[in-house]
Structures are given as structure tokens and as C-alpha cells.
């Protein structure tokens, strides 16, 4: 029975305000990965100077306003932050229920690009003009739709406790969900985005615990598809020229190999510390095409040198490192798959973009995450940060330090997943549900 004194203390206890709740130690705000957020903020904020340096002297693009691209890039940055905050506020659990509607919306946007509403830029009919100089590239949103759709399909039975690993049927359905937007993007044609989507699918299969035969089958099918596309002439001429220039950099340095040649000259001339911001001769001379988007890394290499280029790579590495931690510490398979898809997405895209600037990868219209100019790319990148934050904030307090749920790395609400083929306690071999093999064997101790 509650005493009168304790009742008075309970009634007289002050109510916490909204700000106090947000700043309290049990608030989801404290469970955000601030290292991840700061690394993404540093990339996006620092890239504003790179975009400004690459465009301030291009009067044909800026319409006489040197700050034209700077203001637009900062606007995209702020909008991306708002989208990130909205995703975190909604939460991954509630967002999971509206994934089908988002998927259908992205498909409609992709189909709209193939209609008269779409426009062609750099050989790909993958843009929708909104007027006022604004446009969107639905392929960037399709990458996120693939991550979320496959996460829902593959984790449904596992998170419900019905299975230990995704079933073959779930994997097949997930590949269908991913294949539909990839097929539409391939019709544009936007081979660069398809390459990123294929990397996302591969990363999700590896992170979900699906059977290895699906991963091997996907690699074989992808190789056979590339051979068939090349053999039957399904690539556009500009795409063939890009691969030819990659195979032989000296093929036509003033033609198909011009972009890569000028990019390597810009990066190589930067030296250790660079020529100084706004003082790059290749940048000021406008020798590198598309320098504010696909080749923005060359600005850092020339004007900030090896130190500046290494700083960008290091910040991208920090983002991937924190995403790996979030994937490992997720409390359900859905969160693990979302994080795995984001890791595959950002890592492949960053490697391809930096690689083509260095001449070790073929040229493709793939932006550098959080750095390249472009609203669609910036919005999609920051929403991935929001989803990573949503997965992270679902963890209970104390998780990761070994004080909740046992040793570090084990979390309540997520059953321990055994490795296939490894004997469990008592000597019984763990058999995957639905498999035809794996009869339990008694151990030496139980047999004795």
C-alpha cells in the first residue's frame, strides 16, 4: 500500500519538458551514432567548397553567378539533413510498414522517365525535369527502394521466429523485387546505376545469411549477362567507347579517353598538399568535364593534394566503419540487411567514382557519395544515414558494452544465429529448417 508521503512525492514530481526528454540519457538522441553523423556532415560541408571551386568560373553553367552552384549545393545539403531527421523520427519499425508504397512510387517515377516526361543527359534518358532548373534522377531513389524491399522480404520469417535463415522462396522473391527496377533502369540505359544496384543485391545476400548457392548463382548470371549484352550489341556507342578507353588509356586521349586523361593530370599535379583552393590550373582552365559531379574528386586531388584526397577517403571509410558496427549490433535481421545494403551501396559507389578518376575503373556516371553535386544523390545518401540512425536507435541502452544480453555483440530480441554445419551443444548438428540433410549425431560424451 502506497503511503501518503510517497504519493505526495509522486504527484509533486516535475514533468519533463520536450527539450528535457530529448536531452535525457534515455532519449534516442543519445543512441544516435554521432561519429557517423559528423563524418557525413564533414563530407557534405567540405564538398561545398569543391563544387564552388569547380563551377565558379564556368559562366555557361552558372549564368554569370559564381555562387550559383554553391547555393544550390548547400540547399541540397540542408534538404538532405531534413530528410535524414524525418527518417530517424519515423523509426525503422514504422517505416517498414510503408515500404510497399514507397516501392510502387519509385517504379512509377522510373516509368515516367521512359515517357515524354523524361529527358536525356549525357546519353542516359534517366532524368525528369521539374522546371526552374531543377531535375530528379529516380534511379537514385530506386537504389534505396531495393535495399528496403529486399530487407522486408528476406527478414519477414526470420524476425518472426519461424526460420533461422531466409528461405529459398524469400530469396527468389527478393531478387524479383530488385530485378524489376534494375530492368527499367537498364532500358534508359544507365549502366552505372545498374552496376551499383547489382552490388547492393550481392551485399544484401551476403549480409542476410542466404544460402551460398544464391550468391554464386548471382555472380554466374551477372557474368553471363555482361557477355550477352556485349555480344548482342545492347550497349550504346558511348558506353562501348568508355570501356575501350579503360582497356587502352592511350587509345584516344583527345576523344573517348579525354576525361580520364585530364582527371589523372589534375590529381597528379596536386602533389602532397595541392596548389591551394581555387588555384588549380586544371580546374580553373576547365579542362576536366563534369567536374562538379562525376569528377569532383579531381578538385580535391589538384587543389588539396594527397592530404585532401586522403581526408575524403578517410571520411568515407569512417562512414562505412560505423555502418558495419550498426549492421553487427542490429537487434533484428531487417536492420542488419538495411545496413548491409547501405554498406554495399556506398562502398562500391565510392570505389567506382574514385577509381575512374584515377584510371583504374571505367568511366561511369556514378557520383561520389555526400560530395558530388546533385540533389537526387544528396537526398538518397542522407536518407541512408537516416535509416542507419533508425536501426541504431532501436538498440536498448547498454548494448555493445556487454552489460545487456550477455557478452558484447549479443542483444536481446535477436536470437543467436548458429553457423551452418557447426555442432550445437550436446553434439547435435544444426540443421537448417527446410533442408533435406543434416541428421543429428550423438557426440562422444553423449554416446558414453
Amino acid at each position: 500500500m502506497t503511503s501518503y508521503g510517497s504519493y505526495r512525492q509522486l504527484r509533486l514530481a516535475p514533468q519533463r519538458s520536450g527539450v528535457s526528454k530529448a536531452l535525457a540519457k534515455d532519449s534516442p538522441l543519445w543512441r544516435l551514432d554521432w561519429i557517423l553523423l559528423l563524418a557525413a556532415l564533414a563530407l557534405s560541408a567540405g564538398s561545398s567548397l569543391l563544387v564552388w571551386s569547380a563551377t565558379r568560373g564556368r559562366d555557361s553553367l552558372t549564368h554569370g553567378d559564381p555562387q550559383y552552384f554553391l547555393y544550390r549545393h548547400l540547399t541540397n545539403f540542408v534538404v538532405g539533413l531534413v530528410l535524414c531527421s524525418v527518417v530517424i523520427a519515423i523509426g525503422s519499425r514504422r517505416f517498414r510498414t510503408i515500404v510497399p508504397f514507397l516501392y510502387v512510387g519509385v517504379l512509377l517515377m522510373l516509368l515516367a522517365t521512359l515517357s515524354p516526361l523524361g529527358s536525356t543527359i549525357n546519353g542516359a534518358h534517366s532524368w525528369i525535369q521539374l522546371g526552374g532548373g531543377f531535375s530528379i534522377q529516380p534511379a537514385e531513389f530506386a537504389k534505396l527502394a531495393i535495399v528496403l524491399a529486399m530487407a522486408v522480404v528476406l527478414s519477414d520469417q526470420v524476425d518472426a521466429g519461424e526460420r533461422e535463415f531466409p528461405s529459398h522462396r524469400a530469396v527468389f522473391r527478393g531478387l524479383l523485387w530488385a530485378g524489376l527496377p534494375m530492368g527499367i533502369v537498364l532500358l534508359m540505359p544507365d549502366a552505372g546505376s545498374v552496376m551499383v544496384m547489382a552490388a547492393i543485391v550481392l551485399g544484401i545476400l551476403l549480409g542476410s545469411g542466404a544460402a551460398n548457392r544464391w550468391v554464386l548463382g548471382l555472380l554466374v548470371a551477372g557474368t553471363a549477362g555482361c557477355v550477352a549484352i556485349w555480344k548482342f550489341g545492347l550497349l550504346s556507342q558511348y558506353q562501348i567507347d568508355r570501356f575501350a578507353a579503360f582497356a587502352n588509356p592511350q587509345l584516344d586521349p583527345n576523344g573517348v579517353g579525354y576525361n580520364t586523361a585530364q582527371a589523372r593530370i589534375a590529381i597528379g599535379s596536386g602533389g602532397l598538399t595541392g596548389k591551394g583552393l581555387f588555384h588549380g590550373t586544371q580546374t580553373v582552365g576547365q579542362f576536366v568535364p563534369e567536374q562538379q559531379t562525376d569528377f569532383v574528386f579531381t578538385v580535391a586531388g589538384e587543389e588539396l593534394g594527397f592530404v585532401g584526397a586522403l581526408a575524403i577517403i578517410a571520411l568515407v571509410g569512417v562512414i562505412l566503419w560505423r555502418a558495419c558496427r550498426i549492421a553487427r549490433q542490429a537487434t533484428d535481421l531487417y536492420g542488419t540487411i538495411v545496413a548491409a545494403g547501405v554498406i554495399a551501396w556506398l562502398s562500391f559507389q565510392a570505389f567506382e567514382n574514385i577509381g575512374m578518376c584515377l584510371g583504374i575503373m571505367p568511366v561511369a556516371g556514378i557520383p561520389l557519395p555526400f560530395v558530388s553535386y546533385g540533389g537526387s544523390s544528396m537526398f538518397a545518401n542522407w536518407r541512408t544515414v537516416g535509416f542507419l540512425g533508425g536501426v541504431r536507435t532501436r538498440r536498448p541502452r547498454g548494448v555493445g558494452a556487454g552489460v545487456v544480453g550477455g557478452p558484447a555483440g549479443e542483444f536481446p530480441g535477436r536470437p543467436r544465429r548458429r553457423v551452418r554445419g557447426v555442432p550445437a551443444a550436446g553434439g547435435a548438428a544444426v540443421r537448417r529448417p527446410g533442408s533435406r540433410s543434416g541428421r543429428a549425431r550423438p557426440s562422444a560424451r553423449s554416446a558414453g
Side-chain angles (χ1 to χ4, degrees), residues 173-199:
R173 287 174 54 207
L175 293 177
L176 288 180
W177 280 60
L180 188 56
M182 290 176 66
I184 299 176
V185 174
L186 191 60
L187 295 175
M188 294 179 180
D190 187 356
S193 295
V194 174
M195 290 167 56
V196 178
M197 294 175 184

Side-chain angles (χ1 to χ4, degrees), residues 37 40-41 43-48 69-87 134 370 372-383 385:
L37 290 174
L41 285 170
L43 274 178
S44 296
S47 66
S48 302
F69 279 92
L70 173 63
Y71 294 150
R72 292 168 70 93
H73 187 75
L74 291 175
T75 301
N76 295 334
F77 176 27
V78 173
V79 174
L81 284 176
V82 173
L83 293 175
C84 174
S85 303
V86 170
V87 171
F134 291 94
F370 303 99
S372 292
Y373 172 81
S376 299
S377 175
M378 186 69 75
F379 302 159
N381 294 155
W382 272 103
R383 278 189 292 183
V385 175

Side-chain angles (χ1 to χ4, degrees), residues 321-445:
W321 164 51
R322 303 307 293 183
C324 289
R325 284 178 57 89
I326 292 173
R328 180 178 178 271
Q329 298 174 353
T331 57
D332 53 15
L333 184 60
Y334 172 79
T336 299
I337 294 177
V338 169
V342 171
I343 293 167
W345 173 359
L346 298 182
S347 60
F348 178 83
Q349 197 159 307
F351 179 79
E352 163 61 28
N353 181 276
I354 297 175
M356 73 180 186
C357 292
L358 298 175
I360 62 175
M361 291 293 288
V363 175
I366 297 179
L368 183 58
F370 303 99
V371 180
S372 292
Y373 172 81
S376 299
S377 175
M378 186 69 75
F379 302 159
N381 294 155
W382 272 103
R383 278 189 292 183
T384 62
V385 175
F387 281 107
L388 290 175
V391 173
R392 164 102 176 175
T393 54
R394 286 192 61 185
R395 299 189 312 155
R397 288 186 63 196
V399 167
V403 297
V404 176
E410 298 181 11
F411 309 102
R414 182 177 179 184
R416 182 186 299 177
R417 297 169 61 194
R418 300 187 182 96
V419 179
R420 283 169 282 175
V422 177
V430 177
R431 185 170 66 87
R432 186 176 177 183
S435 63
R436 299 180 183 177
S437 61
R439 184 173 298 176
R441 300 185 198 171
S443 63
R445 181 179 300 177

Side-chain angles (χ1 to χ4, degrees), residues 67-113:
Q67 287 80 32
Y68 177 79
F69 279 92
L70 173 63
Y71 294 150
R72 292 168 70 93
H73 187 75
L74 291 175
T75 301
N76 295 334
F77 176 27
V78 173
V79 174
L81 284 176
V82 173
L83 293 175
C84 174
S85 303
V86 170
V87 171
I88 294 176
I90 293 176
S92 60
R93 186 183 297 274
R94 281 180 289 180
F95 222 105
R96 185 173 182 172
T97 61
I98 62 176
V99 168
F101 303 100
L102 296 176
Y103 182 84
V104 172
V106 169
L107 286 183
L108 294 177
M109 293 173 62
L110 290 174
L111 292 174
T113 60

